């Protein structure tokens, strides 16, 4: 997620450009020379940082799943038993930051997850399940009447809504980051309220 304010490391620069290029042209449509050129080093120079494209893809997809889970756990801990409504709002804000700031990773996950080794793909799924269950727990605190399966379905549906950002057009065509974030937040809360209304 784009939460750091210090300068990215060379490794982070490589991953960012790899994600962008993979999302634009597909994993097999991009060579290591192109990734290297995007960060100002030779293609073979990438091998000082990564074993190859497969390792970059694994680090991108496992990494973002881990970051989302870690960030969500941090938000829950920072709430320190505060109102569940505020915790849910914080979780939504964190996911919106990801959805707006890391759009290539959403595209990459949708298109390329099956290219990961089984062990990496299982790890991504495990991290994602933990992330979903954390949301389910908070959602059921906000709406105690919602059954667990319905809560889980609602969380997955809201992720689908928030993760639709790559399909919203080019970043410059959106109404502005703040307005887009507010709209997504209202829609997410509305979806949860609708799920709980049953």
């Amino acid at each position: 997620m784009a939460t750091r304010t210090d300068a990215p490391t060379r490794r982070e620069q490589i991953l960012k450009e790899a994600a962008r290029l993979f999302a634009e042209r597909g994993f097999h449509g991009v060579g290591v020379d192109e990734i290297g050129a995007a960060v100002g080093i030779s293609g073979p120079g990438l091998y000082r940082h990564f074993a190859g494209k497969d390792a970059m893809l694994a680090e991108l997809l496992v990494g973002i799943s881990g970051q989302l889970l870690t960030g969500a756990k941090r938000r829950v801990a920072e709430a320190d038993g505060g109102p569940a409504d505020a915790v849910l709002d914080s979780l939504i804000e964190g996911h919106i930051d990801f959805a707006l700031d890391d759009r290539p990773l959403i595209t990459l996950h949708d298109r390329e997850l099956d290219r990961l080794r089984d062990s990496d793909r299982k790890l991504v799924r495990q991290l994602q399940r933990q992330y979903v269950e954390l949301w389910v727990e908070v959602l059921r605190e906000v709406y105690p009447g919602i059954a667990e399966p319905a809560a889980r379905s609602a969380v997955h549906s809201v992720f689908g809504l928030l993760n639709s950002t790559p399909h919203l057009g080019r970043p410059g065509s959106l109404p502005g980051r703040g307005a887009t974030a507010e709209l997504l937040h209202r829609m997410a809360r509305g979806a949860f309220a609708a799920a709980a209304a049953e």
Side-chain angles (χ1 to χ4, degrees), residues 4 21-22 26 36 56 63 69-70 73 94 103 109 112-113 116 118 126 137 142 145 160 168 180 184 190 192 195:
R4 292 175 46 138
L21 290 167
F22 292 159
M56 289 180 218
L69 177 60
T70 299
K73 286 180 175 178
R103 292 164 68 185
H109 180 277
E112 310 291 355
L113 181 64
L116 292 182
D118 284 347
Q126 178 185 20
E137 185 177 330
V142 176
L168 297 178
T180 301
L184 290 171
F192 285 141

Side-chain angles (χ1 to χ4, degrees), residues 107-120:
T107 301
L108 199 58
H109 180 277
D110 289 346
R111 288 186 192 158
E112 310 291 355
L113 181 64
D114 288 342
R115 296 195 190 286
L116 292 182
R117 292 179 309 178
D118 284 347
S119 58
D120 289 328

Side-chain angles (χ1 to χ4, degrees), residues 9 36 49 77 80 94 106 129 146 158 168 175 178 187-188:
T9 65
H49 302 277
D80 195 24
I106 296 171
R129 278 193 298 274
I146 191 170
V158 166
L168 297 178
M187 292 173 73

Side-chain angles (χ1 to χ4, degrees), residues 1 57-69 105 124 127:
M1 287 185 296
L57 182 64
E59 186 157 333
L60 284 164
L61 296 181
V62 172
I64 194 56
S65 296
Q67 288 173 42
L68 283 168
L69 177 60
L105 287 175
V124 167
L127 293 166

